[in-house]
Amino acid sequence: MSWPALIFSSDLLPDQGPLNGRRWVSQLLLRLWLEATEQEGLDLLAADPQLLELMGSALPESYQQHCLRYCSITNPNSLVKNGALFVPDPSLGSWAAWRQSVGHEAFSLIGQIHTLSTTAVMTMLDALVVDPVQEWDALICSSRAGRDVVEQVMEDRRDQLRQRCGASHFPELQLPVIPLPLDESCFGVADGSRQKARYQLSLPPGDGVVLWLGRRSMLTKTDPWPAYQVLQRVATRLGRPLWLVECGPDDTPEQAEHFQALQSHCPDLHTLRLGGEGHVPEAVKRQALLACDLVLSLVDNIQETFGLSIAEAMAAGRPVVASDWDGYRDLVRNGIDGFLIPSRWDEQADAVSFPLGWMQKLEISSFPHISGSLAQLVQLDLAAAEAAVFTLLREPVMARAMGRAAQQRALEQFAPRQVMSRFEELFDQLAARRRAAQRGSDDAKPPMRFDPVRCFAGYASHQQPFVKGSFGSKGLPDSLVQARQPLADQLSRALPANRVLDWNQLLLRKHV
C-alpha cells in the first residue's frame, strides 16, 4: 500500500517546545510511520529541502538510516503517488483548497484533532463546512467526545448556511475515532518491582500511594483542590499513611506556590513532588507508576480530548479513578478498569458561556484564562470520588484485578500495532472512496484567494509587452541585482518542479 506524505511540523522534532501530549504523540507517530515505510521510504512535505536534513539529524540513531524524501509544499502534484497527505491538525479546509489546483480526486487529506477549544481550531472546524473537503478525506478523532464536538460545530454551521443561503448539499468528510498510540515501553512498567520503586522514591512500603500524572495547571488541566479534599478525607479514614505523588511539570512557579499552599490545608496527606520546572525523565515517571496503588485524575477542563496520562497508567497496570469527562470515558470502563466519577456543568454555565467564548475570540482574555474560568463551572461528585479511592486502597485484590483489566484494554486499544492497523484500514477505505468517485466538473483551478495574479488581474491596464526604450542601455546596477536576489530565490521555490526561473530575463523585462 502507499503511505500518505507527512507535512513537516516542529512538533515532529524533539526539544522544539515544552513536551505535551500533542508533541509526544507526533514524534511517536513519526517513528511508527518510519518503521512501517522502511522499505519504500517516507515522503515529507516541506517548504525547504534543508528541513529533511534537520529532521534526519533529530531522529533517534536507529531511525536515521530510513529514507526521507522531500516534496515541495508548493506542488500538490507530487502527492498523487502517495494517495494522501497527513496534517497534524484540523486545517483540512486550507489544504483542500491547495489540492483543488490538481483536482479533488488527486489524493485524500487526513487530519488529526488534539485540543478543540482554541479559537484557531474552532475556525478550522467552521471552514470544513464550506471549503472543498470531500468524502474521501478524514479528520481523525481521538475520542467519541471529541468527535461529538466536531460534528456539533460543523452541523451548527450547516444550519446557519441552510437558513441564510438555502444551501442543501454539504460534502461530508469521514470522522473516524482512532485512539492515540502509546510507546511499547509503556507496557513494560508493570513488570518491575513495586517495593524497589518505592525505595527509590523514598516512599514507605506499606503506605497508600495515589499518583497524579501529567502537567499541573489550574487553567488548562484541572483545579487540584477537589482532589486534595478527597484525598484528605480518605487519609483520615484509611488507617495508614496516605501519599499523593504529583509527577509532571508546573505551568508557572506562581501556580506551584498556590498548589503547595492548598496542600497545607490537608494535614493528614503526605505529598511527594516529581517534576516542577522541567520535564520529568521517563525513568522517574515509570518509578512513580510502579510505586502507586492507583492513578487519580479529576480533570475538569475543556482543553482535554483524550487523556494520554490515563492511557499510560492503564498500560502500566494501574487502576484509575477519573472524571467521567471528555475522552476519559472512552478509556476507562467504570467498575472494570477503575471508576469514573460523574461530572456536571453548573446552573450558571449557560449564562456566561457565549460571553466567555466571545472574549476568547476577540483575545480580550487568553485561552488559558477562559478555560480556567469555564473549569470553575464544572462540578464532580466528590463523594463518589472519595468512595472510589478509599475502596481501591482498602481492597488490594480488587485494585490488582482492575489494574490487570486496564492493562489488557490498553494492549487492545493503544498498542502501536493496534493503532497502526486502524490507520492502514482508514487509508484503504479512503482510497476506495476516491477510486469510486466520479471526476467533478471543476477545471482544477485553485480558489482565487490563493491565486493573487488571477485575483488582481484587473489591476493591470495592458496584457501585451511594451515597446522598449533605452532605459537599459547601461545595464542593471549590481546593487539592484543583489538586493533582489532573495526575491529570485522566493520565486524559484514557487515554480513547479519542471520549470526553471529565467531571472535575468525577468529583471530585464521589469527594469528595462
Side-chain angles (χ1 to χ4, degrees):
M1 63 172 287
S2 297
W3 277 76
L6 289 179
I7 186 167
F8 175 83
S9 165
S10 61
D11 285 346
L12 298 174
L13 301 177
D15 305 321
Q16 294 298 305
L19 188 65
N20 56 27
R22 187 188 72 244
R23 292 190 178 96
W24 192 90
V25 168
S26 295
Q27 293 164 28
L28 174 58
L29 277 176
L30 173 62
R31 298 198 302 272
L32 295 176
W33 283 36
L34 283 169
E35 292 173 1
T37 60
E38 182 178 4
Q39 299 301 319
E40 59 267 29
L42 183 63
D43 291 308
L44 192 70
L45 191 73
D48 190 333
Q50 292 182 349
L51 292 174
L52 259 69
E53 297 179 17
L54 177 63
M55 175 79 80
S57 62
L59 288 171
E61 187 173 345
S62 59
Y63 293 93
Q64 290 185 5
Q65 76 276 12
H66 293 245
C67 177
L68 286 174
R69 290 188 298 265
Y70 168 73
C71 297
S72 171
I73 205 166
T74 63
N75 182 19
N77 261 314
S78 64
L79 300 185
V80 174
K81 65 182 186 302
N82 298 89
L85 170 66
F86 184 89
V87 298
D89 54 45
S91 62
L92 298 183
S94 295
W95 291 105
W98 173 74
R99 176 185 60 187
Q100 193 170 318
S101 64
V102 294
H104 298 308
E105 302 88 353
F107 50 86
S108 294
L109 297 167
I110 304 170
Q112 171 79 59
I113 73 165
H114 291 286
T115 294
L116 289 170
S117 50
T118 65
T119 298
V121 170
M122 285 294 172
T123 301
M124 292 176 190
L125 298 182
D126 241 14
L128 290 176
V129 176
V130 294
D131 279 334
V133 294
Q134 305 295 331
E135 64 180 24
W136 49 87
D137 300 327
L139 180 59
I140 297 173
C141 302
S142 54
S143 65
R144 291 174 299 168
R147 182 182 62 187
D148 289 348
V149 171
V150 173
E151 288 178 333
Q152 290 177 42
V153 170
M154 293 177 63
E155 186 58 26
D156 182 69
R157 182 64 170 150
R158 293 186 195 106
D159 282 344
Q160 294 173 28
L161 294 172
R162 291 184 187 107
Q163 295 170 18
R164 184 171 177 82
C165 309
S168 59
H169 177 66
F170 302 96
E172 296 189 17
L173 78 168
Q174 307 304 307
L175 297 174
V177 176
I178 301 178
L180 301 181
L182 295 179
D183 192 277
E184 286 284 4
S185 61
C186 294
F187 296 92
V189 174
D191 297 332
S193 166
R194 176 177 296 191
Q195 294 299 96
K196 181 179 179 181
R198 290 199 174 192
Y199 174 79
Q200 291 169 331
L201 295 175
S202 300
L203 291 169
D207 291 2
V209 177
V210 174
L211 174 64
W212 158 266
L213 182 62
R215 190 164 43 88
R216 289 203 315 176
S217 172
M218 186 177 71
L219 300 181
T220 59
K221 187 64 71 173
T222 183
D223 190 324
W225 180 239
Y228 292 169
Q229 292 182 83
V230 165
L231 294 177
Q232 166 61 22
R233 291 201 290 265
V234 170
T236 62
R237 300 172 53 198
L238 190 60
R240 57 186 170 122
L242 178 62
W243 288 80
L244 168 63
V245 177
E246 293 178 301
C247 182
D250 288 315
D251 258 10
T252 64
E254 293 76 17
Q255 283 193 45
E257 292 177 5
H258 174 61
F259 292 177
Q260 187 174 357
L262 290 179
Q263 290 172 0
S264 68
H265 296 282
C266 304
D268 300 299
L269 178 64
H270 304 280
T271 59
L272 173 63
R273 184 76 185 95
L274 302 175
E277 294 183 0
H279 172 60
V280 178
E282 286 296 305
V284 174
K285 182 174 72 174
R286 289 169 187 162
Q287 284 177 345
L289 280 166
L290 191 54
C292 74
D293 296 296
L294 63 101
V295 170
L296 176 66
S297 187
L298 300 183
V299 160
D300 55 14
N301 206 281
I302 61 171
Q303 183 269 348
E304 284 282 0
T305 53
F306 179 71
L308 194 58
S309 63
I310 297 300
E312 288 185 279
M314 296 172 69
R318 294 296 173 263
V320 176
V321 176
S323 319
D324 192 352
W325 177 257
D326 64 67
Y328 277 21
R329 67 174 62 101
D330 276 3
L331 310 183
V332 179
R333 296 168 297 181
N334 189 44
I336 300 174
D337 312 305
F339 295 103
L340 289 173
I341 306 307
S343 61
R344 68 182 293 271
W345 285 99
D346 187 82
E347 290 85 353
Q348 300 181 79
D350 287 345
V352 299
S353 180
F354 176 73
L356 287 174
W358 190 240
M359 289 169 68
Q360 179 176 322
K361 169 68 175 177
L362 298 181
E363 298 183 349
I364 295 171
S365 187
S366 68
F367 162 67
H369 279 86
I370 295 294
S371 292
S373 298
L374 288 167
Q376 296 304 306
L377 302 167
V378 176
Q379 298 161 5
L380 303 174
D381 186 341
L382 299 188
E386 178 185 349
V389 173
F390 184 76
T391 297
L392 288 173
L393 290 171
R394 287 292 298 269
E395 301 290 342
V397 174
M398 175 190 289
R400 287 193 294 269
M402 286 185 165
R404 288 192 297 270
Q407 185 177 47
Q408 183 60 36
R409 178 165 174 79
L411 280 166
E412 295 169 357
Q413 297 291 319
F414 319 129
R417 62 185 179 278
Q418 301 295 340
V419 176
M420 292 304 289
S421 68
R422 294 174 72 169
F423 272 108
E424 291 175 12
E425 289 174 8
L426 174 63
F427 301 157
D428 289 341
Q429 291 168 5
L430 297 180
R433 286 179 178 273
R434 201 170 62 250
R435 287 192 298 267
Q438 295 183 355
R439 182 160 295 278
S441 60
D442 65 89
D443 56 359
K445 287 183 180 179
M448 191 169 283
R449 67 184 186 276
F450 295 139
D451 193 349
V453 173
R454 187 160 61 102
C455 186
F456 295 98
Y459 274 27
S461 60
H462 291 70
Q463 303 297 320
Q464 300 301 317
F466 301 126
V467 176
K468 293 296 180 180
S470 59
F471 296 105
S473 58
K474 295 182 180 180
L476 297 176
D478 289 343
S479 59
L480 181 146
V481 176
Q482 293 170 4
R484 285 150 184 77
Q485 188 58 44
L487 304 179
D489 296 339
Q490 178 73 45
L491 291 169
S492 294
R493 287 194 296 271
L495 278 175
N498 61 346
R499 298 280 297 275
V500 177
L501 178 69
D502 191 342
W503 179 237
N504 290 330
Q505 288 300 313
L506 183 60
L507 281 178
L508 290 173
R509 290 196 295 272
K510 169 73 177 177
H511 297 285
V512 175

